Amino acid sequence: MDDFIENLTPMDLMRSEKMTFVQLIIPVESAHRAVSYLGELGLLQFRDLNADKSPFQRTFVNQVKRCAEMSRKLRFFKEQISKAGLISSARPVTQPDLELEELEVQLAEHEHELIEMNSNSEKLRQSYNELLEFKMVLQKAGGFLVSNKTHAVSEERELDENIYSNNTYVETASLLEQEMRPGRSDQSGLRFISGIICKSKVLRFERMLFRATRGNMLFNQAPVEEHIIDPLSTEMVEKMVFVVFFSGEQARTKILKICEAFAASCYPVPEDITKQRQITGEVSSRLVELETTLDAGIRHRNKALTSISFHLAKWMKMVRREKAVYDTLNMLNFDVTKKCLVGEGWCPIFARTQIQEALRRATFDSSSQVGIIFHPMDAVESPPTYFRTNNFTNAFQEIVDAYGVARYQEANPAVYTVITFPFLFAVMFGDWGHGTCLLLGALVLIARESKLSTQKLGSFMEMLFGGRYVLLLMSLFSIYCGLIYNEFFSVPFHIFGESAYKCRDESCSDAYSTGLIKVRGPYPFGVDPSWRGSRSELPFLNSLKMKMSILLGVAQMNLGIIMSFFNARFFGSSLDIRYQFVPQLIFLNSLFGYLSLLIVIKWCTGSQADLYHVMIYMFLSPTDELGENQLFWGQRPLQIVLLLLALIAVPWMLFPKPFILKKLHTERFQGRTYGVLGTSEMDLEVEPDSARQHHEEFNFSEVFVHQMIHSIEFVLGAVSNTASYLRLWALSLAHSELSTVFYEKVLLLAWGYHNFAIRLVGLAVFAFATAFILLMMETLSAFLHALRLHWVEFQNKFYHGDGYKFKPFSFASLTEDED
């Protein structure tokens, strides 16, 4: 048995890349070029040797600041280009390679030029707006002044006739009435203030004026047809022209303060119509000149921005890389005496040759007299986890990593997830009509892969595009499972041309005998479509899918337990093999493996045995006769043996491992096992389930409680996880029945009417339900349930997921967010 185990494959396909810890001693003159070449290679993860220092205490802090300042300028250029509505040119622009200092000077010049142009443009725009507002005030307020004079003459006549001639007139008349009364007007006379204000402030402005003057004012307003551009926000603002009539210097002071508070612009309007026309003409001519100047300035500014846009992408990429290089150099130790930088990090073993070649090239290109030293070292911490993936496998690896990154060299579930995940999804979704719709969507994404990969997509589209190959396999497996179920949009098969099908109901026996229903031969693939439309369809499919769910669940859980064996064997933990893998395998298969065996035997023999009764009384009355529930000879003694094995497996998992660990720890510190301390079996630190990190911290009670929790979790999980796989049955049935309901109760019902409008509405409702409920919601639901089955029911049998990802310094991984 031991020879057989030793000869098993180590399953290297599932293991992460072997890593090595390395040290680099780099001369100062070649440090920048060496790190740049390593960034292009992207296979070395640097370790921060200055973690105790703040960013301002590091060696290359000034260079990082310069790069950050250049990034700010480039973002400013990008905002200006976007604000101007210009599109960056896609034409390749030939430009000699610039040094960082040259680029810094160019960016400063461009920024100064743009800021000056923006400032001039804002000043001109401000002057233009003021003249435009003045022109509008002259046009609108002039009308108010003319109408007000006519209105004042008529009101003066009315006052003379009705009020002033009356002896009972009191001296407390209103201010406006006093101004209109002949011979009694104030020395200052009736005055007015004209101006313009935002339309949104007019109501509050008028209310404030009324309160400040106690109603002794006349407020006129008129909307402006032409909107005015705000020079700061570049937004169109809607404004209103107003004229306030009042009397007295005190009222004038209050009104001007209120205008200032509401950001209203006041403009003087002469009462003489001739002067109004003269000023309006002068303002109009001045507006034409300013408009011409503004257009010339905008053209000059757009020309400068267009020139910048040709090089913007290249400059941003260059600055982003330079900043990343200096950030990495700040992670290295600076040895002043030896004038060199010392760095440490992780790299895959297969990449050592490439890294050394890049370092040799950096030494040659920098004309350094001293080479870069690169040598492996021993490390205390665990190495990072690195799996090489491609466009196809990357999405499946991300699904596993979302649960937790694999421990270094731990078995990778993604190898099996590539097949099991889309298959379990298809078992729940299984409909080859809907599967074909998903396939078309996946093929569109794959066909446009090269184009979409370079575009900036929304979060949902980015997620959908990233999972395009997952969607492809899910759709293919859905078509396969739909063909097995014989479901096309879950519509009965006979509707598509099968008019004569076998009837599985007892009520059809007379029809068979009279020849009204023809019996076909055995169906060659999948479920016989004769069940479709019969009264026994639902009970038959219910039973079939429920039993299939149990079989698939037990198979996948057994795969998880077998994976735990390969993990334990790889890490040299014989304790886990003897006291976890073996009892777990026995416990699961003594109960639910046996149930799976009964299901297969029942299918093969056509027995009418009640499996619920068999499993329940296997625990309650294991010695009783099975009677009609017996499926094979020797079933009762086999059940007793399996029950005893399941009972023995529980203490087998619980007690031996903690006591053996305690014994090994005691013997180690008594010095009796020094000869075998180097073997992997005695190395307690590599025990996957050991609750301690150091020998001195060994705590028996903690280890025992941890093992007890693990054992209880497995025993209870064996029941709950098996029950959890019944979701395969539930969701498959739900999708099938929901599709049938939409088809029969919406489409066929509407099609039964001879009204075109009703048919059109029914077709629209059916299409909406198919697209948004069956294709979107049901797809998402089946995806999430398949995710749960992998994360909880499958991976918890062997997967720790407490590692950390290998994140090498790579220019390819830099994004615009890091500018």
Side-chain angles (χ1 to χ4, degrees):
M1 182 64 181
D2 292 338
D3 294 338
F4 173 74
I5 292 175
E6 289 298 327
N7 291 329
L8 286 175
T9 174
M11 305 184 76
D12 289 334
L13 182 64
M14 294 190 303
R15 309 292 172 192
S16 60
E17 294 292 336
K18 292 182 179 179
M19 310 294 289
T20 180
F21 191 71
V22 297
Q23 184 184 57
L24 291 81
I25 302 176
I26 312 173
V28 174
E29 62 271 14
S30 57
H32 183 279
R33 199 178 294 271
V35 173
S36 298
Y37 289 173
L38 291 176
E40 292 173 357
L41 190 60
L43 289 172
L44 180 63
Q45 176 178 320
F46 285 94
R47 181 182 175 189
D48 191 357
L49 302 179
N50 300 309
D52 56 333
K53 295 181 181 180
S54 69
F56 301 100
Q57 294 175 325
R58 305 202 179 202
T59 308
F60 298 94
V61 60
N62 292 328
Q63 288 83 347
V64 172
K65 287 180 180 179
R66 289 169 58 192
C67 292
E69 179 64 17
M70 285 190 284
S71 296
R72 183 196 62 78
K73 292 174 183 177
L74 290 169
R75 287 195 301 271
F76 169 69
F77 297 153
K78 189 175 181 180
E79 290 171 3
Q80 293 296 310
I81 291 171
S82 176
K83 191 181 292 186
L86 303 175
I87 301 175
S88 299
S89 176
R91 293 181 303 169
V93 179
T94 57
Q95 182 191 27
D97 294 334
L98 294 174
E99 295 293 334
L100 191 65
E101 291 76 11
E102 297 176 5
L103 179 60
E104 189 175 17
V105 172
Q106 280 196 20
L107 295 182
E109 292 175 354
H110 287 307
E111 185 187 31
H112 178 72
E113 183 184 6
L114 272 178
I115 290 175
E116 189 174 355
M117 284 191 290
N118 288 341
S119 177
N120 294 334
S121 178
E122 287 177 11
K123 290 177 182 177
L124 289 172
R125 174 60 63 181
Q126 186 69 30
S127 301
Y128 180 84
N129 287 349
E130 290 176 357
L131 287 173
L132 184 61
E133 290 176 352
F134 191 17
K135 179 182 177 182
M136 294 173 182
V137 171
L138 286 169
Q139 293 172 350
K140 300 291 181 180
F144 291 146
L145 293 176
V146 173
S147 62
N148 188 66
K149 287 181 179 180
T150 307
H151 182 66
V153 171
S154 62
E155 284 195 359
E156 187 176 315
R157 187 181 301 111
E158 183 180 352
L159 289 171
D160 286 337
E161 293 175 357
N162 299 327
I163 299 177
Y164 302 142
S165 60
N166 192 347
N167 294 329
T168 60
Y169 177 74
V170 292
E171 292 299 328
T172 57
S174 68
L175 181 62
L176 287 178
E177 289 171 353
Q178 293 179 29
E179 292 294 336
M180 294 175 185
R181 181 177 177 182
R184 285 186 175 241
S185 64
D186 188 69
Q187 193 176 19
S188 60
L190 189 66
R191 302 181 179 185
F192 69 91
I193 293 176
S194 57
I196 193 167
I197 190 173
C198 289
K199 187 177 181 180
S200 59
K201 300 178 182 179
V202 170
L203 291 177
R204 290 180 291 133
F205 179 62
E206 183 180 2
R207 192 180 299 117
M208 184 63 71
L209 289 173
F210 185 84
R211 290 175 180 174
T213 60
R214 298 182 180 180
N216 293 322
M217 64 93 189
L218 183 64
F219 185 83
N220 289 324
Q221 59 178 343
V224 176
E225 292 80 8
E226 187 175 353
H227 292 183
I228 298 174
I229 301 176
D230 188 340
L232 298 178
S233 62
T234 66
E235 294 180 356
M236 304 297 289
V237 181
E238 204 172 348
K239 296 203 172 187
M240 301 280 286
V241 171
F242 67 89
V243 178
V244 183
F245 293 94
F246 63 93
S247 179
E249 186 64 27
Q250 189 176 4
R252 179 177 179 276
T253 305
K254 289 182 180 179
I255 292 172
L256 288 175
K257 287 183 178 180
I258 293 172
C259 290
E260 184 180 355
F262 279 83
S265 301
C266 298
Y267 297 96
V269 178
E271 296 186 34
D272 188 1
I273 298 178
T274 306
K275 288 184 178 180
Q276 288 182 15
R277 292 175 179 173
Q278 182 182 357
I279 295 173
T280 302
E282 293 176 359
V283 169
S284 298
S285 61
R286 179 63 178 153
L287 280 173
V288 173
E289 295 175 3
L290 279 176
E291 195 169 348
T292 304
T293 307
L294 275 172
D295 290 341
I298 290 173
R299 286 195 299 270
H300 179 62
R301 180 172 170 272
N302 288 347
K303 185 178 179 181
L305 288 174
T306 303
S307 175
I308 292 173
S309 68
F310 289 148
H311 311 286
L312 185 63
K314 182 179 180 181
W315 289 347
M316 293 183 75
K317 181 179 179 181
M318 177 181 174
V319 173
R320 196 182 304 132
R321 287 190 171 200
E322 288 294 323
K323 185 176 182 297
V325 168
Y326 286 116
D327 282 334
T328 304
L329 287 172
N330 277 332
M331 300 170 69
L332 278 58
N333 272 335
F334 182 62
D335 191 334
V336 182
T337 58
K338 299 179 181 178
K339 295 183 180 180
C340 64
L341 292 168
V342 179
E344 296 177 356
W346 294 97
C347 72
I349 289 180
F350 73 84
R352 285 188 299 187
T353 304
Q354 301 175 55
I355 293 174
Q356 288 173 336
E357 176 60 31
L359 295 177
R360 280 194 293 268
R361 188 157 48 93
T363 302
F364 178 79
D365 292 346
S366 59
S367 302
S368 176
Q369 301 298 321
V370 181
I372 300 173
I373 300 175
F374 173 87
H375 62 91
M377 294 176 60
D378 294 330
V380 177
E381 70 224 34
S382 176
T385 301
Y386 174 50
F387 294 105
R388 281 189 278 185
T389 59
N390 52 35
N391 289 338
F392 181 80
T393 60
N394 183 64
F396 295 98
Q397 189 64 56
E398 289 297 326
I399 288 175
V400 174
D401 290 345
Y403 173 82
V405 179
R407 182 181 291 183
Y408 177 64
Q409 293 270 284
E410 184 179 23
N412 184 20
V415 176
Y416 297 98
T417 303
V418 173
I419 298 300
T420 59
F421 185 87
F423 178 72
L424 291 185
F425 168 87
V427 171
M428 293 180 277
F429 190 78
D431 189 319
W432 68 272
H434 294 144
T436 303
C437 296
L438 294 182
L439 177 62
L440 293 176
L443 292 176
V444 169
L445 292 174
I446 294 172
R448 305 184 64 185
E449 180 175 347
S450 57
K451 183 178 180 181
L452 292 175
S453 59
T454 59
Q455 295 180 354
K456 191 170 184 179
L457 306 173
S459 55
F460 175 75
M461 279 303 298
E462 187 175 356
M463 179 185 68
L464 199 63
F465 177 70
R468 58 196 180 279
Y469 291 106
V470 179
L471 188 63
L472 175 67
L473 287 188
M474 290 194 308
S475 61
L476 292 174
F477 277 102
S478 295
I479 294 173
Y480 170 76
C481 289
L483 291 172
I484 289 181
Y485 296 155
N486 287 307
E487 290 183 0
F488 175 75
F489 292 109
S490 296
V491 176
F493 186 84
H494 67 277
I495 293 176
F496 295 98
E498 185 66 24
S499 57
Y501 59 93
K502 290 190 291 181
C503 181
R504 298 282 181 170
D505 298 328
E506 294 179 0
S507 59
C508 295
S509 58
D510 294 335
Y512 279 118
S513 60
T514 56
L516 295 176
I517 295 181
K518 294 181 287 184
V519 181
R520 297 182 291 106
Y523 194 70
F525 183 78
V527 177
D528 196 326
S530 302
W531 292 103
R532 286 291 176 185
S534 68
R535 288 189 300 176
S536 303
E537 175 192 0
L538 190 58
F540 170 75
L541 293 178
N542 245 344
S543 176
L544 173 68
K545 292 181 178 180
M546 182 177 64
K547 292 180 174 64
M548 283 299 302
S549 299
I550 294 174
L551 292 177
L552 292 173
V554 172
Q556 190 174 32
M557 287 190 292
N558 270 295
L559 175 62
I561 295 174
I562 293 172
M563 296 282 286
S564 71
F565 162 77
F566 284 100
N567 266 342
R569 177 172 171 266
F570 180 83
F571 291 112
S573 177
S574 60
L575 289 180
D576 285 339
I577 295 177
R578 297 190 189 113
Y579 304 110
Q580 283 189 192
F581 163 71
V582 175
Q584 285 178 0
L585 198 65
I586 291 174
F587 182 85
L588 181 67
N589 290 288
S590 296
L591 303 179
F592 301 104
Y594 175 63
L595 175 60
S596 303
L597 177 65
L598 294 180
I599 291 172
V600 174
I601 293 175
K602 182 177 179 179
W603 280 348
C604 294
T605 60
S607 172
Q608 299 298 315
D610 186 355
L611 299 186
Y612 296 106
H613 184 278
V614 173
M615 293 303 297
I616 290 172
Y617 283 92
M618 176 180 174
F619 293 93
L620 298 181
S621 303
T623 58
D624 289 356
E625 293 291 336
L626 296 174
E628 61 181 9
N629 290 322
Q630 182 168 340
L631 284 90
F632 57 90
W633 180 85
Q635 182 177 350
R636 187 179 62 171
L638 177 61
Q639 290 184 175
I640 295 174
V641 172
L642 293 177
L643 185 61
L644 291 175
L645 287 174
L647 294 175
I648 293 171
V650 177
W652 191 350
M653 281 187 284
L654 176 59
F655 294 108
K657 184 178 176 181
F659 286 99
I660 292 175
L661 288 175
K662 181 181 179 181
K663 179 184 176 184
L664 291 174
H665 180 267
T666 304
E667 290 179 350
R668 168 170 293 184
F669 283 92
Q670 287 179 354
R672 289 203 295 265
T673 56
Y674 288 148
V676 292
L677 281 179
T679 63
S680 58
E681 181 175 340
M682 294 301 172
D683 189 358
L684 301 182
E685 285 190 337
V686 299
E687 289 290 344
D689 293 317
S690 177
R692 56 198 174 86
Q693 298 295 327
H694 304 285
H695 301 303
E696 293 78 11
E697 297 177 3
F698 180 80
N699 188 326
F700 174 75
S701 60
E702 186 178 348
V703 173
F704 186 81
V705 169
H706 178 82
Q707 188 66 23
M708 181 174 64
I709 293 173
H710 181 79
S711 302
I712 294 173
E713 182 183 9
F714 178 82
V715 172
L716 297 180
V719 180
S720 64
N721 292 350
T722 304
S724 185
Y725 277 96
L726 293 177
R727 69 186 69 232
L728 298 173
W729 155 54
L731 265 74
S732 174
L733 189 66
H735 183 86
S736 174
E737 294 305 311
L738 199 59
S739 302
T740 303
V741 167
F742 283 132
Y743 177 77
E744 294 179 353
K745 302 301 181 184
V746 176
L747 187 61
L748 291 186
L749 190 63
W751 219 254
Y753 292 89
H754 297 287
N755 188 314
F756 177 75
I758 295 178
R759 289 186 174 185
L760 188 63
V761 170
L763 184 62
V765 173
F766 177 75
F768 177 85
T770 300
F772 291 96
I773 297 179
L774 297 178
L775 284 179
M776 290 186 64
M777 292 181 61
E778 286 285 306
T779 299
L780 182 61
S781 175
F783 180 90
L784 293 177
H785 283 286
L787 200 63
R788 185 255 155 70
L789 290 176
H790 281 78
W791 281 359
V792 180
E793 277 69 31
F794 173 53
Q795 291 179 190
N796 72 348
K797 301 293 186 297
F798 67 97
Y799 189 64
H800 291 87
D802 55 358
Y804 64 101
K805 260 187 178 181
F806 175 62
K807 295 181 179 179
F809 170 60
S810 172
F811 290 147
S813 62
L814 298 178
T815 61
E816 292 185 7
D817 298 333
E818 299 179 29
D819 289 339

